[in-house]
Amino acid sequence: MTDELTPDSLRVGSLVGPWRVEGYTGRGSYGVVFRARRAGHPASPPVALKLALIPYDPRFVREAELLSRVHHPSVPQLFDRGWWTSDAGVVHPYLVMEWIRGVPMYEWARTYNPTAREVLQVTAQLAWALEVLHRADGLHRDVRGDNILVEPEGRAVLVDFGSGTWKGAPPITESLMPPNTREYRSPEALIFQWEHLRQRGTRYEAQPADDLYALGVSVYRLVTGVYPPPGADPEAKKDPLRGPLPSRLLPQALNGRVGLELARVIERLMAEGPEARGRALEVAEAAESAAEHVGPKADVPLFDPEPQEVEAEAIPVRVASVSGSEPPAVGVAEVPVRAHAKTAEHSWDGRRVLLTTSLILTVVYLWWIAPSSREAAPEVAQAEEPDTGVAPPEAGTTGLGDGGVAARVATQEPPISGEVIALEMPKQPLPGQRRAPCRGRGEVEIIGGCWAPWTTLTPPCGDEAYEWNRACFWPLYERTRVPTSDKPQ
C-alpha cells in the first residue's frame, strides 16, 4: 500500500493547480473527471476537472486547443488548462471545463421518455454545435450517445473532444482509422478501412459528413433502442457466402411514435453518400423547422413504461413492542408492501387489492397476539437519523471524460422526520455493491456505486430504499464477492 497520490487516487480536498477536488465523477480510457471548485472561493461555481492518466498525454493538449476554438452553448466552455505533478514527480496535463448537469443521451431517453419533438430539438442543438465546429475547420470524430449529455431542461451538450482534430493538426497516432467507435462509422470510412487494411502509412481523413453520420446513428439508436446495421460491408462483395448486408429498417418501422418528420432527419443524417447528408447547418435548420411545425402526435412519449417491480406506498399498521415488564404497547409504523405491476399506469387496481389484503391480515394478526394492548394509545415510530460524521457529497456530472459513465446527482436533502423511515445515501458503495462503471439498462452511478431508480416511488422512500436528489434508489449487488477497496474502478 502507498499513500502516493496519482490521477486515479486523488482525494477530496486535493489541489490540482488552483482547483480543489470536491468529488469523483467518472473514469475513461485516458482521463479521470472530478468535480472541483476554485480553492479559497467556496461560493464559486463548480467545474469539471479532467486529469490525464498518461503523463504528458498529447490528447489533452489537442482537446484544449480544439475547445478554445469553439464557442457554442452545446459545447463545454474551457476555463483553464495546466499541468499537475504527482508525488512521484510525473507530470500530467489537466483541463478545467464547464460543469454539465446532464446525463448521457441514451440514459436521458430511458429516464425522461422524451417525445419526438424533444428529440428533434436535441438533434438541432447538436447539429448547430457541429456546424460551429466544422466552420472552425474542426472535427469531433467520436460523436456517440455516451459523448452527448442532456440536462433536465433539455439542453444537449457534445462532450469529450479528445479524439477531435482540426485542419493542419499534427497526427498523434499512426493508426489507419481515427480513435472512434465502429458502430458509428460512416459507409465511406468502412470501405476505406477494408480497402487499405494492409497498407502501412495510410490514414483515413475524416470529414464533416462522418460527424453527421455518427449523429444519425446516435439518434437512430435513441428512438429504436438498437444500432442500425453498418452502412457498408465491402467484404460481402468478395465473399458470396456472407450474403447481402441486412437492410436498415426505417426508425418508424421499429417505433411507430417516431413520426415522419423525425424519421426524415435521421435518414438524411444516415444517407449512404456523404454529399446527401449536406452540411450540419442544413440538418439543424431542418430539425428546428420540423420541431416547430410537427403536429400534436409528436408530443406523445416515444416509449411505453417498462415492466418493473414497484414499491407500494407505506401504510400505517399496529405494531406490538415489548419493553421490560410493561404490557405490550401498540404503535403505528410505516410498513412498505411490495407489489408487482405490468406497467406503472395500469398497476394501481391490483396494487390497491394487494395493499388492502396485506393490511387486513397484518392488523388481524397483531390484534390477536397483543390482546392486552388493544386500548393503548397509538405512538408514532420515528427513524433515527444515522450519524455518518461527514457531510453528503456535492452534485456530480456525467462523462466529461472519455467514456466515463456517472450520473449527475445533487446535494442530498435533509432526512425527513416524523412518520417516515428514511435511509440516508451512504458516503461510499455498500459492501458487495456493484461498482462503477454501471453498464446495465437503467442503472445509475452514485458515489461510485451502481443503483437502480425506483421510478414509481417518491420520497419518503421507506426503510428499503435510499433517498437521493429527491428520488428513491435501491443498491445493485454483485453476484459474486467483490473487492472491498474504495479506489474508483
Side-chain angles (χ1 to χ4, degrees):
M1 294 293 293
T2 176
D3 290 333
E4 283 189 0
L5 289 183
T6 65
D8 250 345
S9 63
L10 282 185
R11 307 182 186 96
V12 172
S14 299
L15 284 175
V16 178
W19 307 94
R20 188 175 301 280
V21 172
E22 292 188 344
Y24 168 81
T25 296
R27 185 186 191 279
S29 302
Y30 306 109
V32 187
V33 181
F34 301 92
R35 177 188 171 104
R37 208 179 296 264
R38 184 173 289 277
H41 298 271
S44 61
V47 296
L49 171 65
K50 183 178 178 182
L51 182 59
L53 292 170
I54 302 173
Y56 301 102
D57 192 339
R59 298 176 188 84
F60 277 62
V61 178
R62 171 171 288 186
E63 183 171 3
E65 176 63 27
L66 194 55
L67 286 174
S68 66
R69 297 178 175 212
V70 181
H71 302 282
H72 189 269
S74 290
V75 176
Q77 186 177 354
L78 179 67
F79 294 142
D80 190 20
R81 67 179 93 174
W83 304 88
W84 175 79
T85 304
S86 70
D87 291 347
V90 181
V91 178
H92 299 259
Y94 70 84
L95 304 176
V96 178
M97 295 169 286
E98 176 187 3
W99 179 260
I100 307 300
R101 300 180 301 109
V103 296
M105 187 169 71
Y106 303 145
E107 182 181 335
W108 170 72
R110 290 191 298 266
T111 304
Y112 291 92
N113 196 3
T115 65
R117 191 189 308 275
E118 290 170 332
V119 174
L120 281 166
Q121 293 167 344
V122 163
T123 304
Q125 294 176 57
L126 297 169
W128 278 120
L130 289 176
E131 171 65 19
V132 174
L133 176 63
H134 296 163
R135 285 183 185 177
D137 290 328
L139 296 170
H140 189 279
R141 300 199 304 181
D142 196 18
V143 177
R144 53 190 173 97
D146 290 337
N147 288 337
I148 297 169
L149 304 183
V150 185
E151 295 185 329
E153 299 81 6
R155 174 194 175 201
V157 183
L158 182 62
V159 300
D160 191 4
F161 285 69
S163 297
T165 188
W166 64 89
K167 186 176 181 180
I172 294 177
T173 66
E174 297 181 356
S175 59
L176 175 66
M177 303 301 294
N180 54 21
T181 308
R182 180 178 176 83
E183 288 83 359
Y184 297 84
R185 286 179 184 166
S186 66
E188 58 269 26
L190 292 174
I191 293 174
F192 183 93
Q193 182 181 14
W194 184 82
E195 292 177 343
H196 300 84
L197 195 59
R198 294 176 175 84
Q199 296 181 11
R200 291 182 174 271
T202 305
R203 295 175 54 85
Y204 176 71
E205 297 295 335
Q207 300 297 323
D210 292 277
D211 282 346
L212 292 177
Y213 187 87
L215 177 59
V217 174
S218 302
V219 183
Y220 184 98
R221 186 180 184 277
L222 184 152
V223 300
T224 66
V226 297
Y227 283 112
D233 187 7
E235 295 181 17
K237 299 179 181 179
K238 301 293 184 180
D239 185 0
L241 297 179
R242 292 177 60 91
L245 183 70
S247 299
R248 181 177 73 241
L249 294 176
L250 295 174
Q252 65 268 39
L254 296 174
N255 185 345
R257 300 180 185 180
V258 170
L260 291 177
E261 295 81 1
L262 176 55
R264 289 193 187 101
V265 173
I266 296 174
E267 287 300 304
R268 176 174 185 166
L269 286 167
M270 299 184 64
E272 182 177 359
E275 65 284 346
R277 296 168 214 154
R279 292 175 52 193
L281 166 68
E282 297 166 343
V283 174
E285 291 177 340
E288 280 186 344
S289 177
E292 182 178 354
H293 298 99
V294 71
K297 290 184 178 180
D299 295 318
V300 177
L302 285 171
F303 312 105
D304 287 321
E306 295 183 1
Q308 56 189 328
E309 185 179 75
V310 298
E311 178 75 6
E313 288 80 358
I315 55 176
V317 299
R318 299 167 68 85
V319 180
S321 61
V322 180
S323 176
S325 59
E326 297 295 325
V330 178
V332 177
E334 300 287 343
V335 179
V337 180
R338 190 179 299 278
H340 294 271
K342 292 183 178 180
T343 64
E345 60 183 348
H346 299 300
S347 64
W348 174 242
D349 290 340
R351 197 161 41 146
R352 185 185 312 176
V353 172
L354 181 57
L355 287 175
T356 304
T357 304
S358 301
L359 174 59
I360 294 173
L361 291 175
T362 304
V363 171
V364 169
Y365 171 74
L366 294 174
W367 187 269
W368 179 267
I369 66 172
S372 61
S373 60
R374 292 174 183 168
E375 303 302 325
E379 298 176 357
V380 176
Q382 179 173 330
E384 294 183 2
E385 179 181 353
D387 184 10
T388 62
V390 296
E394 294 291 338
T397 191
T398 309
L400 283 175
D402 28 27
V405 181
R408 184 247 175 196
V409 289
T411 304
Q412 186 178 358
E413 297 294 327
I416 305 173
S417 61
E419 298 184 357
V420 180
I421 297 178
L423 295 179
E424 185 178 3
M425 183 64 68
K427 114 182 228 194
Q428 59 187 2
L430 299 169
Q433 185 179 2
R434 290 218 305 268
R435 306 295 181 94
C438 307
R439 304 187 185 278
R441 182 176 177 84
E443 293 182 11
V444 174
E445 180 186 333
I446 302 175
I447 318 298
C450 297
W451 299 77
W454 234 320
T455 56
T456 56
L457 180 67
T458 56
C461 303
D463 62 350
E464 291 184 340
Y466 291 77
E467 181 179 347
W468 185 261
N469 193 24
R470 299 180 183 176
C472 300
F473 298 84
W474 74 85
L476 299 174
Y477 292 93
E478 294 283 4
R479 295 182 179 178
T480 58
R481 186 178 180 272
V482 296
T484 57
S485 170
D486 290 334
K487 183 178 179 180
Q489 301 296 316

